[in-house]
Amino acid sequence: MDVRTRETTITFDHPFHLSDADGDLPAGTYRIVIDEEQLLGLSFIAYRRMATMLHTPALAAPQGRNECLSVNAAELDVALLKDQQKSAGEPASPSAAAAALMDVPQTGNFDATAISQR
């Protein structure tokens, strides 16, 4: 099994809550690590997300306990969408939240997860 790890950051303008976190998390930019496994037996290269991890505390707030929370990617998308709605004062597109997690530089491999979420 071929596994790859991608990293990106996401920014929340407002405090937010995830079920895997103890209480609300403060606004800030957070490091996200995504582990994916290659799907074998296809005529093209594709990957499936296995895990999404959120590193706390936020990058600009290094005080406190460092944690790596395994989070549900869909729940993270919803939290980001709600944050965007609060910031804009209007409903945000669901694809905008997904795009934030998928906006990671690729190494030239076809990424089926990015296509399937559009």
Side-chain angles (χ1 to χ4, degrees):
M1 171 178 17
D2 187 20
V3 177
R4 73 178 182 184
T5 299
R6 301 183 303 140
E7 291 189 28
T8 189
T9 59
I10 58 172
T11 300
F12 287 90
D13 294 327
H14 308 280
F16 64 102
H17 180 78
L18 297 173
S19 61
D20 295 317
D22 295 332
D24 286 348
L25 295 167
T29 300
Y30 289 84
R31 187 172 142 231
I32 303 293
V33 176
I34 301 166
D35 287 340
E36 299 171 320
E37 69 178 340
Q38 186 174 4
L39 300 175
L40 302 175
L42 301 175
S43 60
F44 53 90
I45 298 172
Y47 290 85
R48 172 181 30 226
R49 184 178 298 191
M50 296 173 18
T52 303
M53 283 88 49
L54 175 100
H55 288 260
T56 65
L59 296 175
Q63 74 279 3
R65 185 175 78 193
N66 290 332
E67 268 188 292
C68 179
L69 302 172
S70 180
V71 298
N72 179 302
E75 183 182 14
L76 187 60
D77 287 346
V78 169
L80 187 58
L81 177 61
K82 287 180 181 179
D83 184 72
Q84 290 171 345
Q85 288 173 333
K86 286 180 189 177
S87 294
E90 60 187 52
S93 163
S95 61
L101 287 179
M102 298 313 302
D103 188 24
V104 178
Q106 300 296 313
T107 58
N109 293 334
F110 177 78
D111 186 355
T113 57
I115 301 289
S116 67
Q117 293 184 0
R118 292 186 182 164

